[in-house]
Amino acid sequence: MHLKKTVKIVVPIIILLGIVYWGYKFINKTSSLLGVIPKNADAVVKIDLHSIKETLVLDALSSPKFYYDNISFSGSKNEKDSTLNKGINFSPYAAVLYTFKDVKNTIFTTFPINNFTDFNAYIKVYVQDKNSVIQKTNGYQYSVLEKSKVCIAWNSKNLVIAATPEKINITKISAVFTDVLVDENLIINKNNSLIQKLKSAKEHIVYVKGESAIGLNFEDGKLMASGQLEVDKSSVFSKEIIVNSIPDASLQMYLDYSFTDENHKKDFISTFKNSSFLQKSNLQIDSIAKYSNGFFSLAVSGKTKQQNTIITYDYDENFNKVEKKTVQEKEAPKMYINFGVNKNGLQAYLQAQGAVEQSVFTALPIYNFYVSSTPKTSLFATTKNNPKTEIFKSTNFLDITADFSKLNNDISFPKSNLLFGLLNSLDIKANVVKPGVVGLKGKVSAKRDDVNIITQLFFGLEKAK
């Protein structure tokens, strides 16, 4: 009798909680997207924080031992952070990032302010801790955090954060701050097509630009990516290419960005025209593009030995300056970088600019890259011996594969083994679906296939600190 009574009480409560939780999700799926995206945003990324948390909770329930073994129970909370009311929620149901077409290399995000009095007190302390100052302008306040390459701006309703890999240029981003904070040019209509597209996306992270949509999902043992990119219908991508692959390479990639399409060539030149590496090497990207057909490949397979001659000077017993040569041997990965060419002359151009001496590409001092050319390719390799290759046809104009265990043995940089040791493989492919549409698929797999990849990477990198 007691069991029946308990069931009668518990079951309705569970059902009620389920309905409440469903309602919470239903409402926030849309409301979390309103008032945070400018109407004229060029591209938008939605990070479904709630769905990610939900996934990790279920993962913890299915793999409790892994979490128990990795979670530290000795840490203490920062009292200041835990007690201070910030007046703003930095962990919303969904976070939204956006870009503007006219503001290059800058990502923005907007957070609604819940309590301006609390936020105002918090932001003063935060800016002071960052050794910055608060400045006022028409309709909002802002602060440039130079070290973080971030600029924050706010009024009584919203906070806008702008992040860029470059030096902050306030005149470049002030128009966005005015658009969001002063003019409030934000999407608040739940029936807006962009809002509906973001709402219906089931992926943990989704990128949307026009008709383009790419989704990322964090699953047990892998990260999955898929979607389609909208391109100009006149864009030329090869529907089938012939590739010389190196069997069992630890890393192999190729990209056929066909320069028969002049717009591809212009994009290539625009992307690299301000490259400091090329400027230091006395190279011009438009001159390089003149010889290239847009094909590029990279492969890493094994190791090799390289010898460097170190020249020093000393003085003999008569105080005459004497040159001394010392040969040093070092280990280097076998790397093969291949550029497709449409005519002879790339190697000659590099030699004329002083970037190639005695068939060695001198602009990369870490390893010796030996340069050799054929009527169709220019090869830059860390070994003088040509690799054994297999020829195959592919319908993908982009293909990247990696075996991280092998790559960890072949190539190393500071702490590379920490990341490579957590991952298993990488596989990314792109092809032409139809005129104006490019399909993309990708997968990154981790060492364990029974634990979410986010958890594996987080705990693995935390242990390595």
Side-chain angles (χ1 to χ4, degrees):
M1 293 295 291
H2 291 294
L3 179 60
K4 287 184 178 181
K5 287 182 179 180
T6 303
V7 170
K8 285 181 180 181
I9 295 172
V10 172
V11 170
I13 292 175
I14 292 174
I15 293 173
L16 180 61
L17 290 174
I19 293 172
V20 171
Y21 185 66
W22 176 86
Y24 166 79
K25 291 180 65 174
F26 180 80
I27 293 171
N28 280 278
K29 268 189 175 182
T30 302
S31 63
S32 62
L33 303 172
L34 300 178
V36 295
I37 306 173
K39 293 177 181 178
N40 54 343
D42 180 47
V44 176
V45 175
K46 184 189 80 168
I47 306 173
D48 194 338
L49 297 176
H50 180 81
S51 179
I52 293 173
K53 291 174 186 175
E54 208 172 46
T55 299
L56 294 179
V57 168
L58 293 174
D59 188 56
L61 293 174
S62 64
S63 306
K65 188 176 185 305
F66 179 86
Y67 282 78
Y68 182 83
D69 291 342
N70 285 279
I71 291 176
S72 172
F73 297 97
S74 60
S76 59
K77 289 185 177 180
N78 184 307
E79 186 177 344
K80 180 181 176 181
D81 288 343
S82 62
T83 58
L84 181 64
N85 189 346
K86 299 182 174 113
I88 193 169
N89 181 13
F90 285 114
S91 182
Y93 187 92
V96 180
L97 312 176
Y98 52 88
T99 63
F100 281 81
K101 190 174 183 179
D102 297 331
V103 187
K104 303 294 184 183
N105 301 322
T106 307
I107 298 174
F108 299 87
T109 187
T110 303
F111 291 96
I113 296 173
N114 303 322
N115 185 310
F116 183 67
T117 302
D118 288 340
F119 174 78
N120 200 38
Y122 161 73
I123 203 67
K124 286 179 180 178
V125 174
Y126 179 82
V127 169
Q128 187 177 7
D129 288 345
K130 295 293 183 180
N131 296 318
S132 187
V133 295
I134 295 175
Q135 302 185 60
K136 294 184 178 180
T137 187
N138 186 26
Y140 63 90
Q141 302 176 70
Y142 71 92
S143 179
V144 178
L145 312 179
E146 292 285 0
K147 290 184 178 180
S148 304
K149 295 187 177 178
V150 166
C151 185
I152 55 176
W154 64 93
N155 58 11
S156 61
K157 294 181 179 179
N158 291 305
L159 165 71
V160 181
I161 302 174
T164 174
E166 305 170 349
K167 182 179 174 63
I168 293 290
N169 183 347
I170 188 63
T171 59
K172 177 181 172 182
I173 57 181
S174 59
V176 177
F177 293 154
T178 300
D179 195 43
V180 175
L181 299 171
V182 180
D183 299 334
E184 297 185 7
N185 190 23
L186 300 165
I187 301 174
I188 57 175
N189 181 6
K190 65 180 180 180
N191 295 318
N192 178 277
S193 59
L194 175 60
I195 297 298
Q196 288 298 311
K197 185 178 292 187
L198 293 171
K199 172 190 170 183
S200 61
K202 297 179 181 179
E203 295 84 0
H204 289 138
I205 300 176
V206 63
Y207 162 88
V208 174
K209 181 179 180 181
E211 296 302 314
S212 303
I214 301 291
L216 298 177
N217 268 319
F218 302 99
E219 302 177 6
D220 282 357
K222 55 184 179 290
L223 165 63
M224 303 295 294
S226 64
Q228 294 185 342
L229 290 173
E230 181 185 21
V231 297
D232 194 305
K233 288 188 177 180
S234 63
S235 291
V236 177
F237 289 98
S238 299
K239 294 182 179 180
E240 184 178 84
I241 61 175
I242 298 175
V243 180
N244 288 321
S245 70
I246 299 176
D248 299 320
S250 57
L251 171 66
Q252 192 153 225
M253 71 161 288
Y254 64 81
L255 169 64
D256 187 8
Y257 198 54
S258 178
F259 280 0
T260 54
D261 186 332
E262 283 296 322
N263 288 327
H264 287 184
K265 185 181 287 189
K266 290 177 182 177
D267 289 343
F268 175 78
I269 293 172
S270 175
T271 301
F272 295 101
K273 67 179 180 180
N274 295 320
S275 167
S276 59
F277 167 74
L278 294 177
Q279 292 171 0
K280 291 177 181 178
S281 304
N282 194 31
L283 300 174
Q284 288 74 44
I285 192 61
D286 53 344
S287 297
I288 294 174
K290 180 175 67 175
Y291 298 105
S292 175
N293 62 15
F295 181 86
F296 167 84
S297 70
L298 164 67
V300 178
S301 182
K303 293 181 178 180
T304 186
K305 297 287 186 180
Q306 291 190 341
Q307 290 184 338
N308 285 342
T309 301
I310 308 298
I311 299 176
T312 58
Y313 295 91
D314 202 352
Y315 293 89
D316 61 16
E317 57 186 12
N318 296 319
F319 298 101
N320 295 314
K321 193 174 183 180
V322 179
E323 181 183 278
K324 296 179 65 176
K325 293 183 179 181
T326 305
V327 177
Q328 291 185 344
E329 189 174 72
K330 64 179 179 180
E331 195 171 60
K334 287 185 178 179
M335 298 179 64
Y336 307 91
I337 302 174
N338 192 6
F339 289 94
V341 296
N342 55 17
K343 57 182 176 179
N344 290 327
L346 178 59
Q347 186 169 347
Y349 166 74
L350 297 176
Q351 289 173 338
Q353 300 303 110
V356 171
E357 296 179 4
Q358 296 180 342
S359 297
V360 175
F361 188 58
T362 57
L364 290 173
I366 300 176
Y367 302 120
N368 293 329
F369 279 88
Y370 304 99
V371 185
S372 59
S373 298
T374 71
K376 292 185 178 181
T377 64
S378 284
L379 177 65
F380 297 70
T382 56
T383 175
K384 294 181 180 180
N385 300 320
N386 290 329
K388 294 181 179 179
T389 61
E390 293 180 353
I391 297 176
F392 71 95
K393 292 182 180 180
S394 175
T395 57
N396 304 311
F397 66 83
L398 169 68
D399 198 310
I400 307 173
T401 58
D403 182 321
F404 289 106
S405 293
K406 291 181 180 179
L407 192 59
N408 194 32
N409 292 326
D410 292 347
I411 190 171
S412 63
F413 50 85
K415 297 187 177 181
S416 61
N417 62 310
L418 301 178
L419 179 61
F420 292 168
L422 298 170
L423 298 174
N424 188 35
S425 64
L426 168 71
D427 189 4
I428 300 174
K429 301 181 188 302
N431 66 332
V432 177
V433 177
K434 61 182 180 179
V437 178
V438 168
L440 178 69
K441 285 187 178 181
K443 182 176 80 170
V444 179
S445 65
K447 288 297 183 185
R448 294 186 56 157
D449 59 6
D450 61 334
V451 178
N452 194 280
I453 190 171
I454 294 180
T455 305
Q456 292 188 60
L457 292 177
F458 175 77
F459 285 128
L461 295 176
E462 278 292 306
K463 283 185 176 180
K465 286 183 178 179

